[in-house]
Amino acid sequence: FGWFEGIAFLCGYYICNISVGIGLHRLWAHDSYKANKLLEFVLILLSAGTLQGPALAWASDHYNHHTYTDTERDPHSPQKYKSRFLGFMWSHVGWMLFGEPSYKHLNRFAVTKLGKNKLLLWQMKYYWVLAVLMNTLVPTLIGFIIGGNLVSAYGAFLFIGLGRALQQQATFCVNSVCHFLGARNYYLGTAGDIWWMAVFLLGENWHNFHHAFPSDYRNGSKWYHADVHKWIIYGL
């Protein structure tokens, strides 16, 4: 383990984080900004690599989460069980393992709003092909191009994959940790703002503000709020 593997891990983590934040979340689920087709195509590929499902299904789940927050129709409500532990585990990962797959019952509003986007339809049709390629061939090629040998190719494949896997858990923490902890200055539901999670979530941690103003491209509304995703969108 050396600098190469460390950088590969961080790139795997933060590239996935950014593609979820500015792609799956703020672009497609909330339509909080407009993107040209080149950027959208890049985000289509990168978001498939996060292994969080097709963008249409992701947005559908997220529409339901915001429309029915903390009710039985919220797909990952922490209030599903009286036990706080079971509620936490359900909102973190249980709803994906034991709930009804969202792609079988897409939210009608999501389909109406996004169903004409040919890039999203293309991604959904070939999702598993893209997801596998983005997690195998692409990191392996990157490692080989940089290091010029099979060891570096395997190192990139392994450590970019580890970064992606850890980032999945960080995304799941928005559903779980950010609905158990944090300040509630804008919205009276379970969503909370947790400033210290900014280093892991790059802005998705300002979850209470986001539930109050879901169409805002910012989650961290103040200039001093660490929200890398809003700065990337603003820069674009």
Side-chain angles (χ1 to χ4, degrees), residues 58-106:
W58 202 101
S60 178
D61 284 330
H62 204 67
Y63 278 132
N64 288 333
H65 172 57
H66 276 270
T67 304
Y68 308 110
T69 307
D70 299 332
T71 70
E72 290 184 359
R73 297 182 69 179
D74 182 345
H76 43 73
S77 172
Q79 297 186 338
K80 181 178 178 65
Y81 298 98
K82 292 182 180 180
S83 165
R84 286 177 61 84
F85 174 76
L86 290 178
F88 181 92
M89 293 307 298
W90 173 262
S91 62
H92 189 76
V93 72
W95 71 281
M96 288 177 286
L97 296 177
F98 307 111
E100 184 71 18
S102 58
Y103 60 82
K104 291 185 177 181
H105 304 285
L106 292 176

Side-chain angles (χ1 to χ4, degrees), residues 4-230:
F4 175 80
E5 289 78 15
I7 292 174
F9 174 84
L10 291 174
C11 286
Y13 182 95
Y14 284 112
I15 289 174
C16 285
N17 181 285
I18 291 167
S19 67
V20 170
I22 76 170
L24 293 173
H25 191 204
R26 304 190 198 189
L27 175 59
W28 295 309
H30 288 292
D31 194 29
S32 63
Y33 72 101
K34 301 298 181 185
N36 63 45
K37 290 301 178 182
L38 177 59
L39 173 62
E40 197 169 17
F41 180 70
V42 171
L43 290 173
I44 284 284
L45 297 178
L46 292 177
S47 65
T50 67
L51 292 180
Q52 294 191 27
L56 266 174
W58 202 101
S60 178
D61 284 330
H62 204 67
Y63 278 132
N64 288 333
H65 172 57
H66 276 270
T67 304
Y68 308 110
T69 307
D70 299 332
T71 70
E72 290 184 359
R73 297 182 69 179
D74 182 345
H76 43 73
S77 172
Q79 297 186 338
K80 181 178 178 65
Y81 298 98
K82 292 182 180 180
S83 165
R84 286 177 61 84
F85 174 76
L86 290 178
F88 181 92
M89 293 307 298
W90 173 262
S91 62
H92 189 76
V93 72
W95 71 281
M96 288 177 286
L97 296 177
F98 307 111
E100 184 71 18
S102 58
Y103 60 82
K104 291 185 177 181
H105 304 285
L106 292 176
N107 179 290
R108 184 178 299 177
F109 184 68
V111 173
T112 301
K113 198 166 186 179
L114 301 172
K116 295 181 181 179
N117 188 319
K118 293 182 179 179
L119 282 175
L120 294 183
L121 294 175
W122 176 78
Q123 189 214 42
M124 191 159 192
K125 182 177 181 179
Y126 298 106
Y127 174 75
W128 282 111
V129 174
L130 295 172
V132 170
L133 288 176
M134 292 299 295
N135 279 280
T136 55
L137 182 63
V138 171
T140 302
L141 282 176
I142 290 172
F144 186 79
I145 291 170
I146 293 174
N149 56 63
L150 293 179
V151 174
S152 60
Y154 177 67
F157 162 74
L158 179 62
F159 283 91
I160 288 175
L162 287 173
R164 188 270 309 153
L166 185 63
Q167 199 287 316
Q168 275 188 321
Q169 298 302 314
T171 294
F172 302 161
C173 284
V174 177
N175 298 336
S176 56
V177 178
C178 290
H179 277 271
F180 275 84
L181 305 175
R184 297 177 174 89
N185 297 321
Y186 307 96
Y187 174 78
L188 296 178
T190 58
D193 290 340
I194 308 177
W195 66 268
W196 54 267
M197 289 191 72
V199 68
F200 306 110
L201 295 172
L202 301 187
E204 303 303 296
N205 50 292
W206 306 105
H207 203 50
N208 186 263
F209 177 87
H210 174 61
H211 267 266
F213 307 102
S215 296
D216 197 326
Y217 80 97
R218 309 164 301 167
N219 280 10
S221 59
K222 306 296 184 182
W223 66 267
Y224 52 83
H225 285 167
D227 183 353
V228 174
H229 298 160
K230 78 175 177 185

